Structure formats: structure tokens, C-alpha cells
Amino acid sequence: MIIVDVLCNWYSKLYYAVSCNGQLSAQFAVFSGVRQCSCLSPAIFNVFMNVFIQQLRCLGVGCCISSLFLSCILYADDILLLSPAVVGLQSMLDKCTNVLAELLSFEFNVKVALYSHW
């Protein structure tokens, strides 16, 4: 698929620099995420997220809130998985990991980012 090849080439050349107080840092490569400020990025992200939603729906694990059944809530680039039991949550995490590895040929970034809000 030529479109996939073009996107892979485009994303493999993703470099950024940080500007702070008028000073520009050295460029550094970015190996995850979608291009910022690109009109194509939301569409690409939605395609990937839809795969997760469909696979999680097939599990039938989630929570009933009033008359609404929810298994995941998505906002920006965050995924909130909902389950009334730890075993259900684990099956959802396993499904997400399998979807990434088998269907999308990706893996989760498990590096912890620490933020101080106080």
C-alpha cells in the first residue's frame, strides 16, 4: 500500500526542538505519537482508537451507569478502561496489548512520566 509507505516515511523523519526564553534546543527524534498540528493526525488517531473500541466491545466487560453500558472512555490521547472487577480489567488490558501487537504491530509505551501539580 503506497499510502502506508508514505505515512511510514513521513513519521520516520519526525524531529522536534524546544524553544525556551528565546533559546532553541538541539533537535531530537520523536518515535511515538502523531504529528502535532497536522490535519491528518486526528483521522489517523481515530482509526487506531476505533480498533480498540471494537475489540473491547467484543469482550462484553464494563460498567453499567444508569442505563448506559460503558467499557471505555476516550479523551484526547487517554483511554479509561471501566470494569467492576480486577479480572475484567485485566482481560481488557490483555485485549489492548494483543490488539497493538497482533493487529497494529505496535506496543504500549510503559515509561512512567512523573508530573508535579503542587
Side-chain angles (χ1 to χ4, degrees):
M1 295 172 110
I2 190 84
I3 294 173
V4 173
D5 290 339
V6 168
L7 289 173
C8 288
N9 184 285
W10 188 41
Y11 274 90
S12 70
K13 296 174 173 72
L14 190 56
Y15 290 88
Y16 282 101
V18 177
S19 176
C20 182
N21 294 327
Q23 299 293 317
L24 195 62
S25 73
Q27 288 187 345
F28 55 93
V30 177
F31 301 106
S32 63
V34 294
R35 283 184 178 264
Q36 300 298 309
C37 303
S38 167
C39 61
L40 191 56
S41 293
I44 293 171
F45 182 75
N46 287 340
V47 167
F48 280 91
M49 294 314 297
N50 192 55
V51 173
F52 283 107
I53 294 167
Q54 296 302 320
Q55 292 293 317
L56 289 171
R57 183 177 292 157
C58 292
L59 285 177
V61 176
C63 294
C64 287
I65 301 173
S66 266
S67 62
L68 186 62
F69 179 78
L70 296 171
S71 61
C72 64
I73 297 173
L74 303 152
Y75 181 78
D77 61 350
D78 296 319
I79 305 170
L80 175 65
L81 301 176
L82 301 171
S83 173
V86 172
V87 75
L89 183 58
Q90 185 61 57
S91 70
M92 295 171 87
L93 289 169
D94 292 342
K95 177 59 78 174
C96 288
T97 301
N98 291 339
V99 166
L100 277 176
E102 296 170 11
L103 297 178
L104 303 174
S105 299
F106 286 110
E107 61 185 44
F108 279 112
N109 179 357
V110 294
K111 293 180 183 175
V112 176
L114 300 176
Y115 299 101
S116 175
H117 295 289
W118 296 284

